[in-house]
Amino acid sequence: GILQHPDGTVLKQLQPPPRGPREQEFYNKVYDSDCCDSILLELREYLPKYFGVWSPPTAPNDTYLKLEDVTRKFNKPCIMDVKIGQKSYDPYASAEKIQQQVSKYPLMEEIGFLVLGMRVYHMSSDSYETQNQHYGRSLTKETVKDGISKFFHSGYCLRKDVVAASIQKVEKILEWFEGQTQLNFYASSLLFVYEGSYQVTTMRLSDVTLAEKRRVPKGLLSGGDVLEYNNNIHVLKPTENGKIEASVSKDLSKFYALHKKACSKRHHSQLSLKVENSEQDNAWKTSTCITQEHLNGNVLPQLEKVFYHVPAETKESANVEVRMIDFAHVFPSNTKDEGYIYGLKNLITVLQNILDN
């Protein structure tokens, strides 16, 4: 297992040869202080930081890899481990080993990835839901989308902001693989981590649907538009300038006011929403949930005009990490790692389907 070092790093015990030394050699090569290979230097962005090896004073022969704790900055970290690639055995595996690995998850070659486990914080119950590798191996082509979507559910709603940010990060890793022919990875994983406690977060309002509860952020309408709340006013109506004024019913008395903001030339003729930063950049304080019964008259279509013009960059503001881990089966190569690329593309497709549907 992974141990916690008092200095905030994590310790991964070196596996028996040849796996352990091979993983250590991989980290040493990528993090060599004299490294000037642009491919390897970029790869560092997608790995945990490496701080060499460590041995406890009481057991000097026990060697541990000293690595960055990717979960350390999160309050309620939600964690998922996904093994990537069409093969979970390396080119030097025995026939017995190959059979053993294939029998564990026969769909690996077709799907290209395997969920090894997840731990999800549910705000609704203030508790974690944990799924182990048996859960991942139970997923089929038909159920894998729903199986993975569990990881992105807060207990209240699907965290589409996290899905969108995860897709962007996996796409960056895919770009790296598409551009390198030095290394092939087998039985390696992606570690997904996001903040489960989202008092301060960005929700993708462009994905608002009638069927789902949504949290509405404090923000601004460009072009001088004012959206105010009042217990009595319940419809949207244009002002004398053709702009939009509205407020909502008593149930939404905590709805945040949207204040005047001069619009930029770029967005002069359209509604957009500007984020008001709270504790950190690109973070929105969440307010009350809006459901279909709260919206009447012309409120919904006008609000949708606002929602659908949320700047695309908000997708990146969710607090999400995606890192490559587990390198006991990394080998030199002179070709693209097609098996890993296949798995990444399939995973992106599944994540995109979760986001779209």
Side-chain angles (χ1 to χ4, degrees), residues 149-194:
S149 68
K150 270 182 175 285
F151 175 65
F152 299 102
H153 207 284
S154 70
Y156 286 122
C157 63
L158 185 68
R159 292 289 304 277
K160 289 192 172 185
D161 59 320
V162 176
V163 182
S166 298
I167 290 171
Q168 289 190 332
K169 290 180 180 294
V170 177
E171 284 177 339
K172 292 293 291 181
I173 294 173
L174 175 60
E175 286 178 20
W176 182 84
F177 271 90
E178 292 279 20
Q180 71 90 25
T181 56
Q182 294 187 31
L183 299 168
N184 279 5
F185 295 72
Y186 302 90
S188 183
S189 291
L190 291 184
L191 185 71
F192 291 77
V193 189
Y194 73 88

Side-chain angles (χ1 to χ4, degrees), residues 280-306:
Q280 57 187 19
D281 288 345
N282 297 323
W284 290 343
K285 290 184 178 179
T286 56
S287 181
T288 55
C289 289
I290 290 186
T291 55
Q292 183 174 3
E293 61 266 26
H294 290 131
L295 300 173
N296 50 37
N298 295 320
V299 178
L300 179 62
Q302 298 297 348
L303 286 179
E304 284 182 336
K305 287 181 182 179
V306 179

Side-chain angles (χ1 to χ4, degrees), residues 83-91 93 97-106 108-109 112 114 116 137 185-188 329:
K83 185 183 290 188
I84 305 293
Q86 291 180 281
K87 298 176 180 178
S88 56
Y89 54 88
D90 65 50
K97 179 69 172 178
I98 292 173
Q99 180 57 39
Q100 179 194 55
Q101 290 297 312
V102 170
S103 64
K104 285 182 178 180
Y105 194 56
M108 190 76 179
E109 187 167 359
L114 167 63
L116 292 178
R137 291 191 176 116
F185 295 72
Y186 302 90
S188 183
H329 302 276

Side-chain angles (χ1 to χ4, degrees), residues 54-108:
W54 179 87
S55 296
T58 55
N61 293 327
D62 291 345
T63 304
Y64 294 81
L65 298 172
K66 202 164 185 285
L67 302 167
E68 173 190 5
D69 181 0
V70 180
T71 71
R72 182 175 173 83
K73 68 179 181 179
F74 296 92
N75 180 36
K76 298 289 186 181
C78 297
I79 306 166
M80 179 170 65
D81 184 336
V82 183
K83 185 183 290 188
I84 305 293
Q86 291 180 281
K87 298 176 180 178
S88 56
Y89 54 88
D90 65 50
Y92 301 98
S94 64
E96 181 183 2
K97 179 69 172 178
I98 292 173
Q99 180 57 39
Q100 179 194 55
Q101 290 297 312
V102 170
S103 64
K104 285 182 178 180
Y105 194 56
L107 285 173
M108 190 76 179

Side-chain angles (χ1 to χ4, degrees), residues 326-343:
D326 298 337
F327 307 110
H329 302 276
V330 178
F331 296 90
S333 174
N334 54 13
T335 61
K336 284 186 180 182
D337 191 341
E338 297 295 349
Y340 203 104
I341 289 172
Y342 176 89

Side-chain angles (χ1 to χ4, degrees), residues 300-315:
L300 179 62
Q302 298 297 348
L303 286 179
E304 284 182 336
K305 287 181 182 179
V306 179
F307 294 158
Y308 287 119
H309 287 90
V310 175
E313 59 266 26
T314 60
K315 291 187 295 184

